[in-house]
Amino acid sequence: MRILVCISHVPDTTSKITFNSDHTEFNQSGVQFIINPYDEIALSRAVELVEGTDGTVTVINVGDASTEPTIRKALAVGATDAVRIDAAPRDAWFVAKQIAHYATEQSYDLILTGRESIDYNGSQVAALVGELLHIPSVSIVKKFDIQDREITIEREIEGGKEVLSTQLPVILGTAEGVTEPKIPNMRGIMSARTKPLQVLPAVDVPTLSTISKYESPAPRGQVAMVDDVEQLVNLLHTKAKVL
Amino acid sequence: MAILVYVENIEGKFKKSAFEVVSYAKAIANEQSTSVTALSIGNVADDELNKLAGFGASKIVKVDQEQLKQFINKAYASVIAAAANSEQANIIVLSNSFSGKGLAPRVAAKLEAGLADGAIELPTFSGSDLQVKKTAFSNKAFATEIITADKKVIAVNPNSHEPVRSEETAAIETLSPSVDAGDLNIVIKDIVRATDKVSLPEAEIVVSAGRGMKGPENWAIIEELAAALGAATACSKPVSDAGWRPHSEHVGQTGIVVSPNLYIAIGISGAIQHLAGVSSSKTIVVINKDPEAPFFKVADYGMVGDALEIVPKLTAAVQAHKAN
Ligand SMILES: Cc1cc2nc3c(=O)[nH]c(=O)nc-3n(C[C@H](O)[C@H](O)[C@H](O)COP(=O)(O)OP(=O)(O)OC[C@H]3O[C@@H](n4cnc5c(N)ncnc54)[C@H](O)[C@@H]3O)c2cc1C
Ligand SMILES: Nc1ncnc2c1ncn2[C@@H]1O[C@H](COP(=O)(O)O)[C@@H](O)[C@H]1O
């Protein structure tokens, strides 16, 4: 089985999110970047699936050269090889077009993404690539298993879950539950240095939308401390008007 | 030209998000001097469909084919795109629900439309561009997106636009699109839904608890408080990681993002990753035994004390309030 895992390079979850002075760009200074946590789960599951078989796991990232440490980390987790599409990711549509373009030429059995990237988080890429490749996509996958060419998938729905099945190839946006993230071991880290990392040029994509500005949420007012539950219920009723 | 809005149903009944998106579309239609066409797919009775007119739909298109009874994003996206074309709709509105997340990008890709996902406000227009505010960085920030493409798809976050009544008279039309076999190669095997519980992403009140509850055996008082409030229950990540509660209750940056009217956090410290998932709640109440817990800094109301003592008292106070 040949698996493609889409990796995005995002600010560490503890990062304080700030913007440049005209609020048009994310301020990267002092920010630690990591593999998007959901992509790490997807990758770990992919590595698990090919273990002990002749299957391969390719990771793909759309990004400039600054993402290479993140790609090497993915190789250390156990990917076979990596591809970087050399362009700053403009938006999900741009990223999806790049991935679809690359994947069309390669024909993978399974493509995995995270359910969403924790930076621009559109949860769009899986469904966009699915549509561009004319294959089924499932966006919030909590669990999946493959038997021969049939894949059984559990997806999240409001207040529950849905179980569905289809034939490979398919693209999934994976969430927690699919597996536990794998921590790279020393051997993985050593071998990652020499695994192939191919850099390919981006294809042209027309712009459909752009981000004009970012804002940080307005700070909340001072907290009102209350001493007893009656007072709390009363405030929620009369002041906050939520009861 | 009309604005097309796709409305989701569960077993023939519309969810609150359906009325939210219809009235969202109606507000745009008013601004653009046009009207709203609502599209429903699946087996929904006419009197249920007619409810959409009460929120501003002046035409209701129903697609009720056997093959399309169950949600398959590929097939539904084809139907929505076809309806957008036949209605000559340039703006397509749907809910950014779990199903919507799998659907909206497909619709947008089919139409080469620009997609604003996670919209939290009504859009504004300048010329043919549409501008809309949405969440970004896991709720740690907002972004303003400008859609410059001719066609525009907006996926509206649940609970971010209150349904507003707007009585229209609407005719129901039946559409029977031909469905490509390639769109139907998915089999839905099972749907499990806890029907006795309020769905978390759509809940107006959420009662959430963390590691401060000590163990799963103490969750009965959380569920009782939630029942008294008509609320959904949620938890912090370590709680679901430990198996005290299901993963589907985990809120935060790597879990579900919620924006209820009222979020009650009990025995949760307020780590940045947790806050990311709840900070757009309208009112936040924090109950924690540690007066220095970071969560108090972002709360509207706070109570310091032992949750195991406070929560049952709070439940009783809520019940007394409701009885009045
Ligand atoms: C990559 C990454 C992603 C993450 N994503 C998420 C996420 O999406 N969601 C999330 O929630 N976390 C997430 N976390 C974890 C997060 O950093 C915190 O560890 C977690 O939120 C803490 O959970 P907690 O508040 O329940 O537990 P703790 O931090 O242990 O806090 C327990 C709180 O309970 C209070 N307490 C104890 N006993 C009582 C009592 N009897 N009565 C009242 N109060 C009491 C304590 O004072 C304390 O404030 C993530 C972490 C990482 C590294
Ligand atoms: N620049 C990128 N390169 C490769 N994959 C990406 C990139 N951005 C997003 N993805 C993938 O798409 C998923 C969903 O991203 P998004 O649609 O931005 O929320 C992520 O979890 C990644 O798997």
Side-chain angles (χ1 to χ4, degrees):
Chain A
M1 186 159 52
R2 303 180 67 234
I3 307 178
L4 181 67
V5 182
C6 309
I7 298 285
S8 108
H9 164 85
V10 300
D12 175 24
T13 56
T14 57
S15 309
K16 224 177 136 42
I17 303 299
T18 60
F19 302 99
N20 67 356
S21 56
D22 62 358
H23 288 261
T24 52
E25 263 172 47
F26 171 54
N27 183 2
Q28 300 197 355
S29 69
V31 170
Q32 181 87 19
F33 280 82
I34 55 166
I35 301 184
N36 187 41
Y38 298 115
D39 307 356
E40 203 173 10
I41 296 173
L43 172 63
S44 303
R45 181 73 178 123
V47 170
E48 226 169 78
L49 283 169
V50 302
E51 229 157 29
T53 74
D54 60 358
T56 58
V57 176
T58 301
V59 290
I60 184 167
N61 169 259
V62 181
D64 58 28
S66 69
T67 70
E68 289 200 0
T70 298
I71 300 176
R72 288 284 170 208
K73 167 131 192 264
L75 290 168
V77 171
T80 320
D81 62 348
V83 176
R84 180 169 68 80
I85 307 292
D86 190 21
R90 252 179 9 224
D91 58 13
W93 172 242
F94 179 83
V95 169
K97 283 285 235 185
Q98 306 302 330
I99 294 171
H101 177 79
Y102 172 79
T104 307
E105 293 172 357
Q106 298 292 323
S107 72
Y108 289 93
D109 302 301
L110 176 66
I111 306 179
L112 299 178
T113 76
R115 66 175 278 183
E116 67 184 36
S117 57
I118 64 166
D119 48 4
Y120 301 97
N121 45 344
S123 43
Q124 294 184 25
V125 170
L128 286 173
V129 173
E131 186 60 37
L132 293 169
L133 296 177
H134 309 289
I135 60 174
S137 62
V138 182
S139 283
I140 305 178
V141 173
K142 309 292 278 185
K143 208 171 144 184
F144 71 91
D145 282 297
I146 301 171
Q147 208 133 75
D148 302 320
R149 302 283 300 168
E150 177 163 318
I151 179 165
T152 305
I153 302 158
E154 202 175 291
R155 84 168 173 106
E156 179 147 19
I157 57 174
E158 279 76 10
K161 62 177 185 187
E162 180 181 281
V163 183
L164 44 106
S165 74
T166 187
Q167 300 294 311
L168 297 179
V170 61
I171 178 163
L172 309 179
T174 60
E176 281 185 323
V178 159
T179 193
E180 290 303 316
K182 272 195 180 9
I183 315 287
N185 57 23
M186 207 52 211
R187 209 170 50 127
I189 295 168
M190 296 302 289
S191 68
R193 295 190 192 150
T194 54
K195 285 180 178 171
L197 194 172
Q198 205 186 346
V199 179
L200 298 174
V203 290
D204 270 347
V205 177
T207 302
L208 303 176
S209 67
T210 53
I211 300 287
S212 64
K213 70 168 195 277
Y214 293 98
E215 288 164 66
S216 302
R220 271 175 204 268
Q222 188 71 22
V223 55
M225 297 306 288
V226 294
D227 299 322
D228 67 65
V229 293
E230 282 76 21
Q231 191 192 354
L232 178 60
V233 168
N234 190 30
L235 283 167
L236 292 176
H237 177 60
T238 56
K239 224 163 144 236
K241 299 195 179 358
V242 289
L243 283 189
Chain B
M1 196 199 94
I3 294 173
L4 184 74
V5 54
Y6 165 69
V7 284
E8 268 177 58
N9 73 82
I10 294 181
E11 287 159 19
K13 295 278 172 249
F14 289 124
K15 317 200 286 180
K16 177 173 169 237
S17 67
F19 304 119
E20 288 173 358
V21 289
V22 173
S23 55
Y24 186 97
K26 176 63 178 169
I28 303 176
N30 285 344
E31 153 114 23
Q32 297 280 295
S33 314
T34 175
S35 60
V36 175
T37 300
L39 171 66
S40 162
I41 309 177
N43 188 353
V44 183
D46 283 2
D47 56 346
E48 185 72 12
L49 288 170
N50 276 324
K51 289 183 186 165
L52 301 172
F55 293 90
S58 46
K59 178 172 169 187
I60 296 164
V61 176
K62 79 167 173 187
V63 174
D64 186 8
Q65 271 148 285
E66 190 56 38
Q67 309 151 290
L68 295 170
K69 277 226 154 65
Q70 283 182 309
F71 175 77
I72 294 176
N73 60 27
K74 247 176 130 195
Y76 277 38
S78 297
V79 174
I80 295 169
N85 286 331
S86 67
E87 294 293 316
Q88 292 179 303
N90 282 341
I91 299 176
I92 296 106
V93 177
L94 39 67
S95 171
N96 197 34
S97 63
F98 289 139
S99 296
K101 284 180 201 284
L103 188 58
R106 284 197 171 258
V107 174
K110 277 187 194 293
L111 298 170
E112 287 248 335
L115 167 60
D117 53 280
I120 52 166
E121 283 180 6
L122 285 168
T124 55
F125 293 85
S126 77
S128 62
D129 291 354
L130 178 158
Q131 181 171 318
V132 69
K133 189 166 162 181
K134 55 175 226 167
T135 56
F137 291 93
S138 303
N139 257 22
K140 291 179 183 171
F142 302 109
T144 301
E145 179 159 354
I146 301 179
I147 305 182
T148 47
D150 236 21
K151 292 186 178 154
K152 297 150 173 87
V153 177
I154 309 178
V156 184
N157 267 2
N159 263 346
S160 59
H161 184 82
E162 269 304 301
V164 184
R165 292 206 72 90
S166 166
E167 298 297 336
E168 298 284 329
T169 40
I172 299 176
E173 275 177 29
T174 304
L175 187 74
S176 306
S178 61
V179 187
D180 194 77
D183 277 349
L184 294 168
N185 57 356
I186 285 187
V187 184
I188 313 284
K189 296 190 141 170
D190 196 15
I191 294 179
V192 185
R193 215 187 300 266
T195 42
D196 56 328
K197 294 191 100 185
V198 182
S199 136
L200 180 55
E202 295 190 314
E204 291 182 12
I205 302 181
V206 173
V207 175
S208 186
R211 211 144 54 177
M213 292 303 293
K214 309 282 191 287
E217 65 281 5
N218 291 326
W219 245 265
I221 58 172
I222 300 297
E223 298 204 324
E224 282 154 19
L225 176 59
L229 288 164
T233 50
C235 67
S236 66
K237 181 174 189 291
V239 164
S240 59
D241 284 348
W244 297 359
R245 301 296 291 176
H247 271 304
S248 55
E249 283 198 358
H250 153 205
V251 294
Q253 181 160 15
T254 52
I256 293 176
V257 172
V258 294
S259 50
N261 288 331
L262 174 60
Y263 184 80
I264 305 183
I266 300 164
I268 302 177
S269 57
I272 188 166
Q273 298 96 343
H274 185 87
L275 298 180
V278 307
S279 58
S280 58
S281 306
K282 282 162 205 108
T283 299
I284 295 181
V285 172
V286 169
I287 299 172
N288 197 301
K289 72 170 187 195
D290 174 9
E292 302 299 321
F295 220 141
F296 285 121
K297 292 205 178 66
V298 297
D300 299 290
Y301 302 100
M303 256 183 103
V304 177
D306 185 350
L308 301 179
E309 281 172 29
I310 294 176
V311 172
K313 286 189 195 153
L314 181 55
T315 306
V318 168
Q319 284 162 342
H321 168 78
K322 296 241 159 146
N324 269 323

